[in-house]
Amino acid sequence: LLFFPLCPCSRKGLDNHTTEPGFLLLGFSDHPCLPSVCFTVFLIIYLMVLIGNSLIMLITVMDSSLHNPMYFFLRNLSFLEICYTSTTLPKMLVAFLTGDGRISFLGCAAQLYFLIMLGSTECLLLAAMAYDRYVAICDPLRYSLIMNGGFCIRLVVGAWMVIVPLQVGQTYQVFTLPFCASHDLHHFFCDVPPLLELACADTFFGLLIFSSFMGFGCFVFIVMSYVQIFRAVLRMPSEQGRHKAFSTCLPHLAVVSLLIVTGLFCYLKPPSFSSPSQNLAVAVLYSVLPPVLNPLIYSMRSQDSYRLLHFFCRLILIYVMTGQGFLQF
């Protein structure tokens, strides 16, 4: 699949596509009274994503008590969530504001590449977080030896090194397909399923299965990890220990269930069981809600949430005192 772009006929097809006007993102255009409401709602959502995940990144960097593998992965996950939503929401907000849902061919290709690249990297990061919880609960005596700083950095860097070139080939494959006369996408961003619905080639299921292969593999790995984790937790003699172990796993399980399960459903469902309104609802579930809910979900643990809230209040107090001192000066 990676060598598919080397085919001369495919390159010729791509050159022909780049001269086309592009695509029209219909999104919520079927409801003419909604653009102003949708603009306000999604603008608030985007601001919540930026503020919430930025605070998680800032606090986990500045608070030395949070310098551990779990919060290292959480910091990287928050960075991915900001990048992921910035790939789709700004263009969608402009479309709501101006009423123009047009996107160029190269712009659609760039949006699709960053979307699937960041989404696949997030799946690998969630798998790494599951492995971190597995080692912490099933092999606690060797946790600091296995999950050292160098190993965590290699996991994150390795995920980027695997995904970045891999998704170039997949994006190239999608955009070298012959598209039919209609270039109307019943979606609010360029994604693989709506693009393949416009293709005049019988490659729908093949490319969808390849697109969801990374997510499905990560999902299987996470499920296997948590089977071992739950077996280890149920063997714990202390009820307090079981409660503490479950409290560290539930936020991660909630994010995995919301992101990967809805994403796999969107990519693997048969076309006959889908409708434009259903596709939009599922797309919102796996592309917008997880970045908003992540800061809240990962702050559910009582001890850590108190620590994060205390540190955040200290930051506000320092900012206010510094600002007052600056004004007095």
Side-chain angles (χ1 to χ4, degrees):
L1 291 172
L2 288 176
F3 291 101
F4 184 85
L6 298 179
C7 176
C9 59
S10 301
R11 185 173 297 279
K12 181 179 179 181
L14 182 63
D15 293 337
N16 292 336
H17 278 316
T18 56
T19 61
E20 295 175 356
F23 299 92
L24 180 62
L25 300 174
L26 298 179
F28 301 98
S29 60
D30 295 337
H31 307 279
C33 60
L34 284 182
S36 58
V37 176
C38 290
F39 175 80
T40 304
V41 171
F42 283 102
L43 178 61
I44 294 174
I45 289 175
Y46 188 46
L47 293 176
M48 290 174 61
V49 171
L50 295 179
I51 295 173
N53 288 281
S54 297
L55 285 176
I56 291 291
M57 294 172 59
L58 177 64
I59 292 172
T60 54
V61 168
M62 299 187 65
D63 191 351
S64 58
S65 62
L66 300 179
H67 290 177
N68 56 59
M70 184 176 68
Y71 286 103
F72 171 77
F73 291 129
L74 178 58
R75 182 162 59 248
N76 283 273
L77 181 65
S78 297
F79 173 74
L80 282 174
E81 297 289 23
I82 292 175
C83 296
Y84 189 83
T85 52
S86 298
T87 304
T88 58
L89 284 185
K91 174 63 180 175
M92 184 168 58
L93 291 173
V94 171
F96 284 139
L97 190 63
T98 62
D100 185 8
R102 292 175 297 178
I103 185 171
S104 65
F105 180 85
L106 293 178
C108 187
Q111 188 180 68
L112 178 66
Y113 170 73
F114 284 107
L115 186 74
I116 58 179
M117 183 265 290
L118 293 169
S120 300
T121 306
E122 187 170 344
C123 289
L124 290 178
L125 188 59
L126 289 174
M129 296 174 75
Y131 180 72
D132 171 68
R133 293 298 85 203
Y134 166 77
V135 177
I137 295 175
C138 298
D139 197 3
L141 296 180
R142 296 199 304 157
Y143 177 76
S144 58
L145 179 63
I146 297 175
M147 301 301 298
N148 56 73
F151 180 68
C152 294
I153 293 175
R154 287 195 296 271
L155 284 178
V156 174
V157 174
W160 284 97
M161 292 180 64
V162 169
I163 294 300
V164 169
L166 181 65
Q167 299 306 335
V168 172
Q170 182 183 352
T171 305
Y172 198 101
Q173 275 196 305
V174 173
F175 283 93
T176 50
L177 293 173
F179 292 104
C180 299
S182 175
H183 281 197
D184 295 344
L185 288 175
H186 293 275
H187 219 63
F188 55 86
F189 59 86
C190 292
D191 202 0
V192 176
L195 285 170
L196 294 185
E197 290 178 358
L198 300 181
C200 301
D202 190 17
T203 57
F204 191 88
F205 286 106
L207 279 176
L208 277 186
I209 291 174
F210 176 66
S211 302
S212 56
F213 176 77
M214 184 67 66
F216 183 74
C218 293
F219 179 72
V220 171
F221 178 83
I222 292 171
V223 169
M224 293 176 61
S225 300
Y226 273 101
V227 168
Q228 300 299 321
I229 289 173
F230 289 149
R231 291 177 59 185
V233 170
L234 293 176
R235 289 197 299 264
M236 291 181 178
S238 170
E239 183 178 354
Q240 183 179 2
R242 289 195 299 268
H243 176 74
K244 182 178 180 180
F246 276 123
S247 68
T248 63
C249 298
L250 288 179
H252 183 254
L253 278 177
V255 174
V256 170
S257 302
L258 187 60
L259 176 65
I260 296 184
V261 174
T262 53
L264 289 176
F265 174 78
C266 180
Y267 274 64
L268 295 180
K269 70 181 185 303
S272 58
F273 291 94
S274 62
S275 63
S277 58
Q278 183 187 30
N279 293 337
L280 288 175
V282 176
V284 169
L285 282 178
Y286 81 84
S287 65
V288 176
L289 283 186
V292 176
L293 298 178
N294 274 354
L296 299 176
I297 291 175
Y298 280 103
S299 298
M300 287 193 311
R301 297 177 59 198
S302 58
Q303 183 178 357
D304 291 338
S305 61
Y306 292 150
R307 186 185 301 168
L308 292 174
L309 181 62
H310 175 69
F311 190 79
F312 178 57
C313 293
R314 284 171 53 196
L315 285 179
I316 295 178
L317 182 61
I318 293 173
Y319 174 78
V320 171
M321 293 178 63
T322 305
Q324 291 178 351
F326 177 76
L327 293 175
Q328 292 175 0
F329 178 78

